[in-house]
Every structure is written in C-alpha cells, then in structure tokens.
Amino acid sequence: MLLPLAASASAPRKSQTYKKKTSKRVNYDQLDALCSISGLQNRKNPHTTEEAHQKFMTLYPKIFYREKTVLPGIPPTLSKRVLSSESVGGSKVDEMSHDIGIYVQKIKNPKKVWRESPEFKEKMNMLIGILRKIPILRSIKEHNTVYETMKLIPDIRAQLSEEELKELSMCTIKEYWAKGSTVVGNQGFYAILKGSARPQARCYKRMLGEDFDSLCVVMSTASQDTMFGFSGRTMLIRGSCFGTLETAPPKLPHILLSIITEENCEILKISSTDYLRIKEEIAKREQIAKEKLIHGCPYYRSWPVLYVFHLMSHLKWRQFPAGYVLLKGGEISTFVGFIKSGYCNVYRETEALVKLPLGKMVKQIRQVLVGQLHEQQSFGEVSILLQTPFTCRVVTATDVKLGIIDASAILGLDMVIQMLLLQTAEPTFDNIMQDEINFQYINKEKQKEWQRVKNKVVQDILFHNGIIPGLGKWTHEWSHPVKRGQKSTEQASLSCCLSDSNVGEPGDFNVSQQSFHQSSLSLSSSSSLP
C-alpha cells in the first residue's frame, strides 16, 4: 500500500506542469538545424570534424534575432489631426489647422446649401409654414427668416440687391397649386418650395436684363414640337424658378413663361407689381439721401437745386474700412468724396531728425496729423479741376461710407458748374504753413517724452515699494468689504498715483515727483497694516 502512495506523491499533477516559454530573441528553427549537424562532438563521437565545425560556426549567429538599429536623426513630425465633417475641395480638413490656405479657400468658396440636401429641404418647409400667414401677421423674426431663406435660392439672389430682397421678403406670399394645374408666370417671379413641375416652353423664366423681344423671336422661330420636346426633358424641382420680375408685355404668349405641375406644389410668388413699387421707393430714398448729403456740405449749401441734381446723377456709394488710404500726397485726386458716415484723418509730411539706437542722427519723413474730415464734408474738387497734386494724405480713421463722383464725371460737367465749384470749394488743409507743421510735430514729440518720463517714475516707485498692480491686494476688485462713504488707504493711494501719472506739465516735474514720494510712503505704511 505504501508503494502506490509514494508513486502518486512523486508524480506531478497536471495543473503543476509548466509550459516552456519561447524566447522572442531565439530563432528555434535555426537552433534545431544547428543541433542536427552530423560530426559534432558527443558521447559516441569524441572529436568534432572540421566540416561540422565550419558549418556550426556559420549557423550559430542565425539563431538570434537581430534588432533593427535606429540611426540618430530628426524623426518626421506627423501631426495628429481631428478631422471634421466640413471639407474643402472634397477632402476633410482639420478644425484646429494653422494652414491659412484652408481659410482663404473657405472665404473664396463659402459653404453652400444645395437644393438636394436635407438642410435645404428643412429650410423650405420652415418657409412654407411662415408664408401661410399673411404678411401683416408675421413677426419681425419671421420676416428675417423669410429674408435669409430667400437668399438661398440662386435665381432670386442673383437678381435682387440686399435692400430690395429685404423689402420684398415682407410682402412675399405663397400659392398652392394642385397636380396638373397650369401656372402662368407673366405677373411675377415664382420659386417652387415643394413638389415638381414641367415648363411648357424652352424659355420659362426671364431674368432682369434680358429682352422680351428676344424671347418673342425665340417663340416665333421655334416650332411647337421642339418646345414641347424640350419641356418633356426638363423638370423643375424644389428651388427652381420661373416667370419674370418685370411686367410682361401683352403680346407675349402666355405659354412662354408657364408651367404644368406634376404633383401638388407649394410655390413662392414675388409679384412684379410689388417689385416695381419697391424699386421706385428705393430709388426715391437714394435721391433724397444724395441730395441731403451734397446740400449738407458747407461748399454746396447755397447751390441751386438744379445744379445739385447734376451732381446727384453721377454720385455712387462706396464703403471703406478703417486705415484705408483714400488720397496720397503729391498725387492728383481721382474722385470727389462726400463723407456720409465716419471720419478721416488728414496728414502732412515733414522732415525730422530721428536718433537711432546707437546715437546716430538721421533725417526721416514723418506724418503729422493736421486735421480731420467729418460727416457732410467733401474733398478733392480743386485738385481735379485745377489738376494740382493733393498736398495732404487722407486716411480713414473708422469705417467710412462715401458718396463718390469720378474725376471724369467732374471734368465732363457743364462749364458753369465747374466755375461754380471753383468759386465755392477750397483746397483741403492747404493753408497750413510748414513752420506750423514742424512746431506741431515738436510739441507732439515733447508730450510723448514727458509721458514716458512720468510712466517710468511711477513704475520705479511701485517697484521699490514691492507693489505689483493687478496682483494680490492691488487688484481693482477689493476682496474685503469697505464701509459706505469711506475709501480704503490702498485704494486712495493707488488712485493718487494713477491721477498724478495722467495729468501734469513738463514744468511740474518736481511737484509730481514729490507727490509720488508721498503716495509711496502712504502705500508702504498701509501695506504693514493687518
């Protein structure tokens, strides 16, 4: 009985057996081939043959895997980008990319809402819901939604200006047409919001600028079979347009601008009568604004209305950003400008001695501010009529809206109007002498130097007293409560420093320095308080 127990105790359990772990650095196929070489030394063979030794030395290095050596160098930088759903040119781009070319391409090719996209369909359905109300019952927000959605329709956006489109969006209506109905587009411009239709002729819409006579010629020369063959191949879907914004002549056949609905359709209508009315109202407002602008300028207040109308016919509106150079000194003006909004700075040039960092003095051209041009002021008349160079440099200080008359239009006016212009207009800041400009430049440089000295004194006082504005208790918002009607010592002393640094003249330097010293003492004494 003891032998089986001993045998069972000495035998390892199945769970205790260890598996041989294969090394990642040893090639076991080559090791087996090395061990199977005949002629090596073993129990039966006391000596190794020369052939077996050479074969062993050849195969021995192959049993180890060699790691790839990485030479020193600059590794290639691979930027990990999070791709967004937006794409430029068909490829996805990084939202946090610093490549300026991507953003320039986005500006040149803005994101468009295609007619087949779900977004466009959703906007059209929203527009249908708003247009179910009559225009007088729509809110301001709904009018804005109609305006923004109408801009998504290409044929409407291409014909109307921003102002016209905004006015028309407040009187636009919606019509419902059942399947198989014939819609004649002679009295308005239509856009399909829902459904589909087929045109009855090749020319089913007339854009602004096209001639009705040419459409009639096309209608008369083209056979009816050709026209209907074309209509069978053309399908008008959501976003397609037909009709005309201008009233069609009576001789124009109704079939030319009409369609037949293939299913129940919701159609937006812009009445040609409303368009002509709004166009006349905008033209009247433009005339009133131009007349008010020209008559408001000092040179033209005593002008007869007839001569003002001659200038109004050539006036055009232009918008300029801040920092734009309208006129350069030494050049003849190319236009007459009437400032409607904003203002401009006028500069004159002067030679000044400038000290370089190494102490060398050189002459440089500096721009000196000599004045400003505000609303309802004009410039450039004398330079164009007398063909004399402009003595000043005019730069926009803010966003400026100008009424501009080109130089060719001014020179093409009647001789009486030109003589009247020369009598009333004056050169822009031409009466300023060079000595005055130099004196103004010197005063400006003195003020800059005095301001620099004051700032340096304040910074030194704060630095030597261990005060860092904006940090700790020297922040603008105090953490501890202050009783009503009282002011803390730190707040009072800091305001004293700031007030002394903003006011003062060069002659008051000693007095200001003494006040700064007293304020610093109060600051140091207050900093010791708990």
Side-chain angles (χ1 to χ4, degrees), residues 46 80 349:
K80 297 180 180 181
E349 294 182 352

Side-chain angles (χ1 to χ4, degrees), residues 77-94:
T77 57
L78 300 176
S79 59
K80 297 180 180 181
R81 296 183 175 183
V82 181
L83 299 180
S84 62
S85 58
E86 296 182 0
S87 61
V88 176
S91 60
K92 293 185 177 181
V93 299
D94 181 14

Side-chain angles (χ1 to χ4, degrees), residues 6 21 72 84 102 133 211 267 275 325 364 413 426 446 468 474 480 495:
K21 295 184 179 181
S84 62
I102 295 175
K133 303 179 183 179
D211 191 9
I267 301 177
Y275 168 72
V325 180
Q364 291 184 359
L413 292 173
E426 296 178 0
K446 284 183 177 179
I468 303 178
W474 308 108
H480 61 278
S495 63

Side-chain angles (χ1 to χ4, degrees), residues 274-286:
D274 293 336
Y275 168 72
L276 295 177
R277 174 180 57 82
I278 290 173
K279 185 178 179 181
E280 291 178 0
E281 291 179 357
I282 293 175
K284 288 180 181 179
R285 290 200 298 264
E286 287 283 325

Side-chain angles (χ1 to χ4, degrees), residues 389-408:
F390 211 76
T391 58
C392 303
R393 180 186 181 94
V394 181
V395 183
T396 58
T398 59
D399 293 342
V400 175
K401 185 175 183 180
L402 288 181
I404 287 178
I405 302 178
D406 294 332
S408 57

Side-chain angles (χ1 to χ4, degrees), residues 21 39 57 109 129 164 247 254 347 362 442 472 479 483 514 523:
K21 295 184 179 181
M57 296 302 295
N109 303 318
E164 292 174 345
T247 305
H254 293 290
Y347 298 92
V362 295
I442 293 172
S479 58
K483 295 182 180 180
Q514 184 179 2
L523 287 171

Side-chain angles (χ1 to χ4, degrees), residues 37-56:
I37 296 175
S38 59
L40 292 177
Q41 182 182 2
N42 51 29
R43 294 179 180 178
K44 297 180 181 180
N45 187 12
H47 301 285
T48 302
T49 61
E50 184 66 22
E51 183 181 359
H53 175 72
Q54 294 294 336
K55 193 172 183 181
F56 178 87

